[in-house]
Amino acid sequence: IPAIDAPTFLRAQEVDFLADTEAVLALTVGDEIRAYPFQIMTWHEIVNDTVGGMPVAVTYCPLCNSGVAFDRRVDGKVLDFGTSGMLHASNLIMYDRQTESLWPQLSGQAAIGVMTGATMDVLPMSPVGWGDFRTAHPDAWVLSRDTGHRRDYGRNPYVGLDSDPDRPPPFGAPSDDDRLPPMERVIALQGSSETVTVVRSAVEEARVVEETVDDRPLVLLHAAGQASALDGGLVSGGRDIGTVAVFDPVVHGTTLSFGVDGAGFVDEQTGSTWNVLGEATAGELAGERLTPYPFLDTFWLSWVTFAPDTRVVHD
C-alpha cells in the first residue's frame, strides 16, 4: 500500500471523477483548504503533504474508517510516513522513514522504535460529501488520481464492512468491552482529561447534539449527503449515512445553541443559518465560521482499544 509522497491536485471546480455524495476528507490549515477523496485514500492510506506551509500527514484507515491528519513536525524533525502493513485493533500502523519507528494511527504516538513516546499534533479534519464541499469551496485543491500508481480508484475493496454493527470484526477484537457492538460507528472525542464516544446513529437521528469534553461545550451536527465508502462495491455507491461534524459553538464570546432548519441549521441567538461545514450562510453572522474540534468517525472495536475508559453517549 504505497503512500503518496508527491501529491498532485486539481481545483474543485475542475474535478470530474467524484459523485456528489462521495466522501472526501476536508482539511483546513490556515487559509488553505484541501480535499482528499476516499476513493484514492482507500488505496494509499497516507499522503505526505504540505498545507498552509505546514508539513502534514493525511491518513485514512479503511478497516476502521478513521481519517486523521497530523503535523509531521516532531522533536525538531520533519517526518514522512509509510504504511507498515501491520495492524492493531484493525487500525493502520504507520512508520516514519527517518527512524522506522511504528505509529498506530489512532494514538498518533510512536509505540515501537527510536521515537517511542513521541506524539504528533492532530489537526481537525472531517469526512464530508463531495457536493457539499465543492459548493462551499469551488476553488479548493483536491487530490487528483495522478498518483504515479495504477489502482482501481472508485472501487471499494471492503464491501459491506459497515453494513452490520454486530458482524465479526475481520481481524478480531482485542477488547472485550461490549458496551457497543464491535462494528458500531461512533464519533470519538479526545480531551485532555477524558474521552467521549457518541453513537453515530444517535447524531443522525437528532441532527444536533450538544456535548461536553473536559467541561468544554461542543456541538455535533448531522446532514444528509454523504455515502458510506465501505458499503457498496463502489465508494460512491454506499447508502447515505450523512456527514457528522463537531465544533466549538462559541462565536465572539457567545455560546450558540442550534436547531434544525430544513437541510441546514439555525442558531437560536441570532437566527443565522449555518451549514454542516460550520459556516454561517445567511443572517447576522453570515461569513462567520465555527472552530472545528478534532474527532474520529470510526468503529467501536478500534476506538475502545485505544480509549478503554471512554464515556459512551447513546443519545
Side-chain angles (χ1 to χ4, degrees):
I1 302 176
I4 299 175
D5 297 317
T8 62
F9 294 85
L10 298 169
R11 292 293 186 185
Q13 57 191 331
E14 299 171 343
V15 172
D16 61 2
F17 58 87
L18 293 172
D20 279 353
T21 60
E22 197 164 335
V24 301
L25 291 167
L27 173 65
T28 302
V29 180
D31 294 328
E32 189 167 0
I33 302 171
R34 295 194 179 186
Y36 302 81
F38 274 53
Q39 65 162 258
I40 301 173
M41 297 301 298
T42 294
W43 295 96
H44 295 282
E45 300 192 2
I46 299 173
V47 178
N48 293 295
D49 200 2
T50 300
V51 183
M54 178 186 293
V56 301
V58 176
T59 69
Y60 173 64
C61 176
L63 287 174
C64 59
N65 192 59
S66 54
V68 190
F70 301 101
D71 183 340
R72 292 192 282 126
R73 298 172 296 183
V74 182
D75 296 340
K77 305 181 183 72
V78 176
L79 306 178
D80 56 89
F81 291 87
T83 58
S84 71
M86 292 178 277
L87 300 167
H88 180 57
S90 295
N91 182 234
L92 160 69
I93 296 181
M94 311 178 292
Y95 74 96
D96 70 79
R97 297 194 180 110
Q98 284 66 35
T99 73
E100 297 189 349
S101 300
L102 298 178
W103 303 69
Q105 182 215 33
L106 286 182
S107 71
Q109 183 178 72
I112 297 175
V114 174
M115 300 289 289
T116 296
T119 303
M120 289 186 287
D121 291 334
V122 175
L123 307 172
M125 182 175 70
S126 59
V128 62
W130 167 241
D132 289 332
F133 181 89
R134 183 191 59 226
T135 297
H137 307 293
D139 294 321
W141 291 112
V142 181
L143 181 66
S144 82
R145 287 174 158 184
D146 184 13
T147 63
H149 302 276
R150 292 176 61 87
R151 293 293 185 274
D152 192 4
Y153 298 125
R155 184 174 69 84
N156 168 30
Y158 306 99
V159 177
L161 188 63
D162 71 341
S163 60
D164 180 4
D166 291 304
R167 66 166 289 172
F171 294 98
S175 172
D176 60 1
D177 191 320
D178 62 357
R179 283 179 288 171
L180 294 172
M183 301 297 285
E184 184 79 55
R185 293 181 68 131
V186 298
I187 303 301
L189 306 170
Q190 176 74 59
S192 58
S193 63
E194 68 169 340
T195 62
V196 178
T197 301
V198 184
V199 177
R200 195 184 195 280
S201 59
V203 186
E204 293 177 34
E205 182 177 352
R207 295 203 55 202
V208 176
V209 172
E210 295 179 347
E211 192 48 64
T212 60
V213 177
D214 297 334
D215 295 323
R216 175 181 178 177
L218 298 174
V219 62
L220 290 75
L221 305 178
H222 176 274
Q226 181 190 153
S228 165
L230 299 170
D231 186 28
L234 298 177
V235 171
S236 61
R239 69 190 186 281
D240 191 335
I241 59 171
T243 292
V244 173
V246 183
F247 301 99
D248 180 336
V250 178
V251 176
H252 300 315
T254 299
T255 300
L256 303 180
S257 300
F258 291 87
V260 177
D261 180 25
F265 309 91
V266 60
D267 72 74
E268 297 176 1
Q269 284 68 29
T270 73
S272 300
T273 301
W274 301 75
N275 62 25
V276 74
L277 301 179
E279 300 165 343
T281 57
E284 180 181 329
L285 296 178
E288 295 286 348
R289 291 184 178 179
L290 299 177
T291 301
Y293 187 88
F295 71 96
L296 294 169
D297 185 337
T298 187
F299 293 127
W300 171 249
L301 77 96
S302 299
W303 174 239
V304 73
T305 301
F306 289 89
D309 297 325
T310 187
R311 172 167 60 89
V312 177
V313 178
H314 294 270
D315 51 40

